Protein backbone atom coordinates (compact mmCIF):
# COMPACT_ATOMS: atom_id res chain seq x y z
CA UNK A 1 0.00 0.00 0.00
CA UNK A 2 1.22 3.51 -0.76
CA UNK A 3 2.81 5.46 2.02
CA UNK A 4 0.39 7.77 3.81
CA UNK A 5 -0.27 11.41 3.15
CA UNK A 6 -1.92 11.93 6.54
CA UNK A 7 -0.31 10.35 9.59
CA UNK A 8 0.16 10.57 13.32
CA UNK A 9 3.29 10.03 15.36
CA UNK A 10 3.64 8.90 18.94
CA UNK A 11 6.54 6.47 19.41
CA UNK A 12 9.88 7.88 20.47
CA UNK A 13 12.69 7.67 17.94
CA UNK A 14 15.85 5.62 17.89
CA UNK A 15 18.78 8.04 17.57
CA UNK A 16 22.01 7.11 15.81
CA UNK A 17 25.04 9.40 15.75
CA UNK A 18 27.52 9.28 12.85
CA UNK A 19 31.02 10.75 12.79
CA UNK A 20 31.21 13.57 10.23
CA UNK A 21 34.81 12.86 9.20
CA UNK A 22 34.68 9.06 8.89
CA UNK A 23 30.97 8.49 8.26
CA UNK A 24 31.02 5.64 10.76
CA UNK A 25 28.31 5.09 13.36
CA UNK A 26 29.39 6.25 16.81
CA UNK A 27 26.49 5.22 19.06
CA UNK A 28 22.77 4.40 18.93
CA UNK A 29 20.38 5.39 21.71
CA UNK A 30 17.49 2.95 22.16
CA UNK A 31 16.17 4.12 25.54
CA UNK A 32 14.98 7.64 24.76
CA UNK A 33 12.04 9.05 26.68
CA UNK A 34 11.42 11.90 24.22
CA UNK A 35 12.84 13.07 20.90
CA UNK A 36 11.84 16.33 19.30
CA UNK A 37 12.66 18.80 16.52
CA UNK A 38 12.01 22.52 16.69
CA UNK A 39 12.26 24.60 13.52
CA UNK A 40 13.25 28.24 13.89
CA UNK A 41 13.43 31.29 11.63
CA UNK A 42 13.07 35.04 11.90
CA UNK A 43 10.83 37.32 9.84
CA UNK A 44 11.43 41.04 9.41
CA UNK A 45 8.54 43.12 8.05
CA UNK A 46 8.50 46.28 6.03
CA UNK A 47 6.03 48.59 7.75
CA UNK A 48 4.37 51.76 6.62
CA UNK A 49 1.23 53.65 5.77
CA UNK A 50 -1.49 54.66 8.16
CA UNK A 51 -1.30 52.50 11.24
CA UNK A 52 2.23 51.40 10.30
CA UNK A 53 0.97 47.96 9.27
CA UNK A 54 3.10 45.06 8.07
CA UNK A 55 3.39 45.25 4.28
CA UNK A 56 5.79 42.52 3.26
CA UNK A 57 7.86 40.00 5.20
CA UNK A 58 11.45 38.84 4.69
CA UNK A 59 12.32 35.51 6.30
CA UNK A 60 15.81 34.39 7.27
CA UNK A 61 18.00 32.98 10.00
CA UNK A 62 16.68 29.48 9.38
CA UNK A 63 17.73 27.02 12.03
CA UNK A 64 16.48 24.41 14.40
CA UNK A 65 17.09 22.46 17.57
CA UNK A 66 17.01 18.80 18.45
CA UNK A 67 16.25 17.70 21.99
CA UNK A 68 16.67 14.10 23.06
CA UNK A 69 15.96 12.88 26.56
CA UNK A 70 17.51 9.57 27.48
CA UNK A 71 16.14 7.39 30.26
CA UNK A 72 19.66 6.15 31.00
CA UNK A 73 23.19 7.53 30.88
CA UNK A 74 25.54 6.25 28.17
CA UNK A 75 29.27 6.75 28.61
CA UNK A 76 29.87 7.22 24.88
CA UNK A 77 27.32 10.05 24.69
CA UNK A 78 28.80 11.76 27.73
CA UNK A 79 32.22 11.53 26.06
CA UNK A 80 30.77 13.15 22.93
CA UNK A 81 29.28 15.97 25.02
CA UNK A 82 32.45 16.62 27.03
CA UNK A 83 34.88 16.32 24.12
CA UNK A 84 36.97 13.88 26.17
CA UNK A 85 37.25 10.11 25.82
CA UNK A 86 36.08 7.91 28.66
CA UNK A 87 39.21 6.57 30.38
CA UNK A 88 39.21 2.94 31.51
CA UNK A 89 41.59 1.87 34.26
CA UNK A 90 42.41 2.08 37.96
CA UNK A 91 41.70 5.45 39.57
CA UNK A 92 42.13 6.77 43.09
CA UNK A 93 38.83 7.54 44.85
CA UNK A 94 37.85 8.90 48.25
CA UNK A 95 36.41 6.69 50.97
CA UNK A 96 34.73 7.39 54.32
CA UNK A 97 34.08 4.79 56.99
CA UNK A 98 32.46 5.04 60.41
CA UNK A 99 34.02 2.27 62.50
CA UNK A 100 33.67 1.00 66.05
CA UNK A 101 36.85 0.74 68.09
CA UNK A 102 37.76 -2.65 69.55
CA UNK A 103 40.90 -3.14 71.65
CA UNK A 104 42.21 0.30 70.60
CA UNK A 105 41.99 -0.59 66.91
CA UNK A 106 39.81 -0.40 63.83
CA UNK A 107 40.27 -2.24 60.53
CA UNK A 108 39.57 -0.54 57.22
CA UNK A 109 37.68 -2.26 54.41
CA UNK A 110 40.29 -1.28 51.82
CA UNK A 111 44.00 -0.61 51.67
CA UNK A 112 44.70 3.13 51.76
CA UNK A 113 47.09 4.84 49.37
CA UNK A 114 50.23 6.48 50.74
CA UNK A 115 49.92 4.60 54.00
CA UNK A 116 53.32 5.90 55.08
CA UNK A 117 51.80 9.40 55.20
CA UNK A 118 48.72 8.32 57.15
CA UNK A 119 45.07 8.83 56.29
CA UNK A 120 43.39 12.01 55.07
CA UNK A 121 41.50 12.57 58.34
CA UNK A 122 40.48 10.64 61.45
CA UNK A 123 37.91 12.01 63.93
CA UNK A 124 36.21 10.84 67.07
CA UNK A 125 32.48 10.75 66.34
CA UNK A 126 30.04 12.55 68.59
CA UNK A 127 26.81 10.83 69.59
CA UNK A 128 24.93 12.78 66.89
CA UNK A 129 27.34 11.60 64.18
CA UNK A 130 29.24 14.87 63.81
CA UNK A 131 33.00 15.17 63.97
CA UNK A 132 34.56 15.47 67.39
CA UNK A 133 38.25 15.71 68.23
CA UNK A 134 40.67 15.02 65.38
CA UNK A 135 43.14 12.17 65.80
CA UNK A 136 46.46 12.85 64.06
CA UNK A 137 48.94 10.50 62.42
CA UNK A 138 52.06 9.24 64.20
CA UNK A 139 54.76 7.41 62.26
CA UNK A 140 55.82 5.53 65.41
CA UNK A 141 53.97 4.62 68.61
CA UNK A 142 50.65 6.42 69.04
CA UNK A 143 50.40 8.82 71.97
CA UNK A 144 47.15 10.37 73.21
CA UNK A 145 45.30 11.97 70.30
CA UNK A 146 47.32 10.01 67.72
CA UNK A 147 47.05 6.86 65.62
CA UNK A 148 49.39 4.60 63.66
CA UNK A 149 48.64 2.80 60.42
CA UNK A 150 49.79 -0.64 59.31
CA UNK A 151 48.15 -1.90 56.09
CA UNK A 152 44.41 -1.73 56.93
CA UNK A 153 44.78 -1.54 60.73
CA UNK A 154 44.48 1.79 62.54
CA UNK A 155 45.81 1.68 66.10
CA UNK A 156 45.13 4.32 68.76
CA UNK A 157 46.84 5.09 72.07
CA UNK A 158 46.26 2.52 74.80
CA UNK A 159 42.98 3.14 76.60
CA UNK A 160 42.03 6.28 74.65
CA UNK A 161 38.82 4.69 73.36
CA UNK A 162 36.37 2.39 75.03
CA UNK A 163 35.24 -0.58 72.98
CA UNK A 164 32.25 0.41 70.84
CA UNK A 165 33.16 4.10 70.51
CA UNK A 166 33.08 5.26 66.89
CA UNK A 167 35.57 7.06 64.70
CA UNK A 168 35.20 8.51 61.19
CA UNK A 169 38.05 7.67 58.82
CA UNK A 170 38.74 9.39 55.47
CA UNK A 171 41.24 8.02 52.98
CA UNK A 172 41.94 7.27 49.32
CA UNK A 173 42.06 3.88 47.59
CA UNK A 174 42.61 2.54 44.08
CA UNK A 175 39.63 1.20 42.13
CA UNK A 176 39.75 -1.89 39.95
CA UNK A 177 41.02 -1.70 36.38
CA UNK A 178 37.48 -1.66 34.91
CA UNK A 179 36.62 1.75 36.37
CA UNK A 180 35.40 4.38 33.88
CA UNK A 181 36.45 8.02 34.38
CA UNK A 182 34.50 10.90 32.83
CA UNK A 183 36.40 14.19 32.54
CA UNK A 184 35.03 17.67 31.87
CA UNK A 185 37.92 20.00 31.05
CA UNK A 186 38.13 23.70 30.27
CA UNK A 187 39.70 23.19 26.83
CA UNK A 188 37.37 20.54 25.36
CA UNK A 189 33.81 20.98 24.10
CA UNK A 190 30.90 18.99 22.69
CA UNK A 191 31.19 17.65 19.15
CA UNK A 192 29.19 17.89 15.93
CA UNK A 193 27.61 14.81 14.31
CA UNK A 194 25.16 13.58 11.72
CA UNK A 195 22.07 12.38 13.59
CA UNK A 196 19.55 9.88 12.23
CA UNK A 197 16.20 9.49 13.99
CA UNK A 198 14.19 6.36 13.17
CA UNK A 199 10.56 6.39 14.29
CA UNK A 200 7.10 5.06 13.39
CA UNK A 201 4.13 6.94 11.99
CA UNK A 202 0.57 5.64 11.74
CA UNK A 203 -1.58 6.05 8.67
CA UNK A 204 -4.86 7.71 9.69
CA UNK A 205 -6.73 5.85 6.93
CA UNK A 206 -5.93 2.19 7.69
CA UNK A 207 -4.03 2.66 10.98
CA UNK A 208 -1.04 0.75 9.70
CA UNK A 209 2.41 1.75 10.87
CA UNK A 210 5.10 3.03 8.52
CA UNK A 211 8.76 3.78 9.07
CA UNK A 212 9.97 7.37 9.15
CA UNK A 213 13.60 8.42 9.10
CA UNK A 214 14.82 11.90 9.85
CA UNK A 215 18.40 12.64 8.75
CA UNK A 216 19.95 15.71 10.37
CA UNK A 217 23.04 16.39 8.33
CA UNK A 218 24.92 18.39 10.94
CA UNK A 219 23.97 18.76 14.61
CA UNK A 220 26.15 20.50 17.19
CA UNK A 221 25.77 19.15 20.71
CA UNK A 222 25.31 21.98 23.18
CA UNK A 223 27.82 22.45 25.96
CA UNK A 224 25.21 23.31 28.59
CA UNK A 225 23.77 20.12 30.06
CA UNK A 226 22.82 18.79 33.47
CA UNK A 227 23.08 15.62 35.51
CA UNK A 228 20.30 15.79 38.10
CA UNK A 229 20.15 13.84 41.34
CA UNK A 230 17.16 13.64 43.70
CA UNK A 231 16.07 11.57 46.67
CA UNK A 232 12.58 10.99 45.29
CA UNK A 233 10.58 11.00 42.07
CA UNK A 234 11.47 9.28 38.80
CA UNK A 235 15.04 8.24 38.05
CA UNK A 236 17.11 11.04 36.59
CA UNK A 237 16.89 11.43 32.80
CA UNK A 238 19.65 12.83 30.61
CA UNK A 239 18.82 15.71 28.25
CA UNK A 240 20.88 15.91 25.05
CA UNK A 241 20.28 19.33 23.41
CA UNK A 242 21.64 20.04 19.91
CA UNK A 243 21.62 22.88 17.41
CA UNK A 244 21.01 22.07 13.73
CA UNK A 245 23.71 23.58 11.49
CA UNK A 246 23.86 24.15 7.75
CA UNK A 247 25.92 21.42 6.06
CA UNK A 248 29.03 22.54 4.19
CA UNK A 249 27.92 21.01 0.86
CA UNK A 250 24.25 21.99 0.67
CA UNK A 251 21.26 23.73 2.18
CA UNK A 252 19.32 20.76 3.58
CA UNK A 253 19.22 21.06 7.35
CA UNK A 254 17.34 17.78 7.59
CA UNK A 255 15.10 15.45 5.62
CA UNK A 256 12.25 13.21 6.72
CA UNK A 257 11.40 10.13 4.65
CA UNK A 258 8.24 8.08 5.26
CA UNK A 259 8.35 4.62 3.75
CA UNK A 260 6.93 1.09 3.92
CA UNK A 261 9.47 -1.15 5.62
CA UNK A 262 8.09 -4.16 3.71
CA UNK A 263 9.04 -2.57 0.40
CA UNK A 264 12.71 -2.19 1.30
CA UNK A 265 14.68 -4.33 -1.14
Amino acid sequence: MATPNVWAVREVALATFYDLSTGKARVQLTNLKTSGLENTAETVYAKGGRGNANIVGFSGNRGGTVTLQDAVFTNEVIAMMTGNDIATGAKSVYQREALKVASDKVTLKSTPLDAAKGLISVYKLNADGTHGEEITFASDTAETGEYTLAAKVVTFADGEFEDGEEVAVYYKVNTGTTAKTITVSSDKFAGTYKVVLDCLVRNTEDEKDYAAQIVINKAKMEDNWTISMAADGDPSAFDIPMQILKPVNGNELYTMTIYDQNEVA
Side-chain angles (χ1 to χ4, degrees):
M1 186 173 184
T3 54
N5 294 311
V6 181
W7 44 270
V9 60
R10 179 182 178 185
E11 288 290 344
V12 71
L14 301 179
T16 308
F17 291 77
Y18 292 85
D19 189 284
L20 288 178
S21 58
T22 67
K24 294 183 177 181
R26 180 83 182 255
V27 67
Q28 184 179 75
L29 303 182
T30 60
N31 296 297
L32 296 180
K33 292 172 69 69
T34 60
S35 52
L37 287 169
E38 180 180 354
N39 299 290
T40 61
E42 294 180 7
T43 303
V44 177
Y45 294 95
K47 296 174 178 287
R50 292 182 177 180
N52 198 32
N54 293 336
I55 301 172
V56 63
F58 299 88
S59 295
N61 295 333
R62 167 66 74 189
T65 59
V66 187
T67 302
L68 308 179
Q69 187 180 70
D70 205 346
V72 295
F73 293 81
T74 303
N75 284 342
E76 187 67 18
V77 175
I78 295 176
M80 292 159 62
M81 295 188 74
T82 62
N84 286 306
D85 292 332
I86 303 294
T88 301
K91 183 78 172 178
S92 61
V93 294
Y94 292 89
Q95 300 285 292
R96 179 193 187 274
E97 292 185 51
L99 301 169
K100 292 184 178 181
V101 178
S103 301
D104 300 316
K105 297 178 181 179
V106 295
T107 301
L108 306 174
K109 293 180 181 178
S110 306
T111 301
L113 298 176
D114 299 324
K117 298 179 182 179
L119 306 174
I120 295 174
S121 302
V122 180
Y123 298 98
K124 291 183 179 180
L125 278 182
N126 298 321
D128 60 4
T130 58
H131 290 168
E133 179 184 347
E134 182 178 5
I135 311 299
T136 58
F137 176 64
S139 57
D140 201 351
T141 305
E143 303 292 339
T144 301
E146 296 179 335
Y147 70 90
T148 58
L149 178 63
K152 299 180 182 180
V153 179
V154 181
T155 303
F156 303 102
D158 290 344
E160 182 163 358
F161 288 93
E162 294 182 5
D163 287 354
E165 285 192 273
E166 285 192 300
V167 294
V169 180
Y170 297 83
Y171 62 104
K172 293 184 77 173
V173 299
N174 271 335
T175 69
T177 57
T178 62
K180 304 289 194 298
T181 300
I182 297 165
T183 300
V184 177
S185 54
S186 61
D187 60 340
K188 297 290 181 65
F189 299 92
T192 303
Y193 302 90
K194 175 179 283 188
V195 180
V196 176
L197 303 177
D198 286 293
C199 53
L200 294 176
V201 300
R202 180 159 294 178
N203 189 343
T204 59
E205 182 180 354
D206 59 12
E207 296 198 6
K208 293 185 180 298
D209 289 335
Y210 291 81
Q213 186 172 91
I214 300 169
V215 178
I216 303 160
N217 293 301
K218 195 175 181 182
K220 171 69 172 71
M221 286 181 157
E222 294 187 7
D223 292 287
N224 299 323
W225 47 277
T226 302
I227 297 178
S228 299
M229 303 175 193
D232 57 4
D234 292 336
S236 180
F238 186 40
D239 290 326
I240 308 169
M242 292 174 282
Q243 286 287 336
I244 299 175
L245 306 181
K246 178 183 176 296
V248 70
N249 57 350
N251 295 315
E252 292 182 345
L253 299 184
Y254 69 85
T255 62
M256 181 175 182
T257 302
I258 302 170
Y259 62 99
D260 188 339
Q261 185 72 51
N262 296 322
E263 294 179 356
V264 175

